[in-house]
Amino acid sequence: MGDIRSDSSAAEALIPRFRLDRLLNQDQGGRRVTLLGTIDSSQALLIVERAAFPTDTETLRSFHSTIANIKTLGDNDIYRWCLASSGATDTVSADLKVNLIYPCTEQHIKKYSPQGVRMVAETPETYRKYIRPFMKSKRDEGRLNWVFNIIEGRTEQADVILRDSGQGTEADDGFLMLPDLNWDRKTTTSLHLLGLVERRDIWSLRDLKKKHIEWLKHMREKMLDATVGIYKEVEKDQLKLYVHYQPTYYHFHIHIVHAQLEAGSTQATGKAFGLENIISQLETMAGGPESGMEDVSLTYYVGEASELWTDIFEPQKKSGKALAG
């Protein structure tokens, strides 16, 4: 980029003279801002991005001890989330979004550790013989307590922004919506809400059938209406609704996010399936009301540390056998 300037035109001399006019843009989940202002009567853009966190152990030990002004946003079972500041005085505004999982399990450690990913093809036969039993084993471990706490009204009720009884065609087709624990609840373009269904027979998108089409459409409309009704600066065509496969937990839920939320791995192809696309697939699918997503093949990615890879797909790959029934 050329030699570093050493005179009055160097950044060290110019930045202190910057005078802010207005915030021009905020992106990367609020981690980068573009400011429009002037320096000596000439317009200037100042683009500021938070640096990466340090990675050496000693610095991290001292860093976590400086986290101050912790304000709890919510807690449920082993999960806690809050806002905090990296300074030590009350005058410092919250610049950190902090999640605490305590006590955490080996599965949490695997989930949050860096790992390679593999694309896998799951046929209907693979799902019925291997994946469905795997899902059941995970549900039987009691990892859904935090979900049931919300549904049954024991925790996070002040955060629930929509509770709908459904269409009334089935006793348990109600659902609710609340902020996702990963949203800071203030950055509009990072908006992330979570829709939880009350019924417990739908574990994932695999359980969706043609008979659920109207129910899915009803949920979609109600969730969109509630979101724009509460967050006035957001319009319906600025929202995306999707479900994960494989999901983190096996109780059907829908993610509602701002269209400008940066599409990281959780929104990537092979992970996120658009709700509208699922509805369309069900509508055009042959068969009667009981036909559904369990009858189609799905391609998605799994982490190399996940049990889906280590216990199911990798052994089959090494053996050269197809995952068939």
Side-chain angles (χ1 to χ4, degrees):
M1 295 289 292
D3 296 334
I4 297 175
R5 302 172 189 265
S6 58
D7 54 20
S8 60
S9 63
E12 293 89 339
L14 292 173
I15 291 176
R17 305 207 303 271
F18 180 85
R19 296 295 177 264
L20 175 67
D21 288 336
R22 61 187 173 95
L23 171 68
L24 198 63
N25 193 17
Q26 182 183 52
D27 56 6
Q28 293 192 0
R31 295 187 298 275
R32 182 171 63 193
V33 293
T34 302
L35 308 177
L36 175 64
T38 58
I39 298 176
D40 301 336
S41 301
S42 295
Q43 284 194 312
L45 288 175
L46 185 63
I47 303 166
V48 184
E49 183 174 347
R50 294 187 188 278
F53 285 99
T55 57
D56 64 284
T57 303
E58 288 305 314
T59 302
L60 289 173
R61 282 199 181 102
S62 60
F63 167 75
H64 97 272
S65 64
T66 66
I67 297 176
N69 307 316
I70 299 171
K71 179 183 178 182
T72 297
L73 293 176
D75 65 86
N76 187 343
D77 198 48
I78 64 174
Y79 303 97
R80 302 161 182 84
W81 50 102
C82 56
L83 294 176
S85 64
S86 52
T89 67
D90 293 336
T91 59
V92 178
S93 61
D95 59 348
L96 298 175
K97 168 69 170 56
V98 182
N99 293 349
L100 174 65
I101 304 174
Y102 171 78
C104 71
T105 66
E106 186 62 30
Q107 288 303 114
H108 291 113
I109 296 172
K110 288 181 179 179
K111 176 183 176 181
Y112 289 99
S113 297
Q115 58 181 298
V117 296
R118 303 287 181 131
M119 296 300 296
V120 297
E122 182 184 298
T123 65
E125 293 77 19
T126 302
Y127 170 70
R128 295 185 183 101
K129 185 173 182 179
Y130 298 97
I131 306 301
R132 182 72 177 185
F134 172 81
M135 290 179 175
K136 184 178 186 304
S137 71
K138 294 304 172 187
R139 285 176 61 90
D140 290 344
E141 291 176 1
R143 296 182 182 176
L144 295 174
N145 290 340
W146 71 273
V147 175
F148 300 147
N149 285 342
I150 298 172
I151 293 172
E152 295 171 5
R154 290 192 291 269
T155 60
E156 298 187 56
Q157 296 312 290
D159 294 330
V160 173
I161 57 180
L162 168 68
R163 186 180 287 273
D164 190 281
S165 59
Q167 294 180 295
T169 55
E170 296 188 45
D172 59 350
D173 65 357
F175 55 93
L176 57 88
M177 185 171 70
L178 73 169
D180 186 89
L181 64 85
N182 291 309
W183 183 39
D184 64 8
R185 308 193 188 193
K186 62 180 182 179
T187 308
T188 301
T189 54
S190 297
L191 182 141
H192 190 165
L193 308 177
L194 187 67
L196 293 172
V197 303
E198 292 183 0
R199 59 192 303 162
R200 305 190 185 190
D201 60 330
I202 299 182
W203 301 355
S204 74
L205 65 81
R206 280 291 197 183
D207 292 309
L208 297 175
K209 303 178 185 297
K210 290 179 73 68
K211 67 181 182 181
H212 297 131
I213 290 173
E214 294 307 314
W215 177 61
L216 291 170
K217 288 182 176 180
H218 175 78
M219 283 197 293
R220 177 183 179 275
E221 287 307 310
K222 290 294 184 179
M223 289 176 180
L224 288 173
D225 287 343
T227 301
V228 300
I230 294 169
Y231 305 103
K232 304 295 185 181
E233 63 273 37
V234 180
E235 299 181 24
K236 287 186 179 181
D237 57 4
Q238 292 179 301
L239 296 170
K240 294 191 290 187
L241 285 76
Y242 62 85
V243 301
H244 284 144
Y245 196 80
Q246 293 278 331
T248 303
Y249 50 94
Y250 295 111
H251 180 94
F252 187 66
H253 55 283
I254 299 169
H255 295 269
I256 305 96
V257 305
H258 197 285
Q260 287 183 242
L261 177 64
E262 291 201 9
S265 60
T266 60
Q267 295 187 57
T269 300
K271 181 67 174 180
F273 291 74
L275 181 62
E276 292 84 357
N277 292 338
I278 294 172
I279 293 172
S280 177
Q281 188 169 2
L282 289 169
E283 287 178 323
T284 56
M285 186 180 292
E290 294 299 323
S291 298
M293 296 299 292
E294 66 177 0
D295 302 317
V296 303
S297 293
L298 295 174
T299 299
Y300 55 91
Y301 70 78
V302 295
E304 291 178 339
S306 73
E307 293 173 86
L308 285 167
W309 175 251
T310 60
D311 296 353
I312 298 176
F313 289 104
E314 185 180 29
Q316 294 297 325
K317 177 183 177 180
K318 289 181 176 178
S319 69
K321 297 178 181 178
L323 284 174

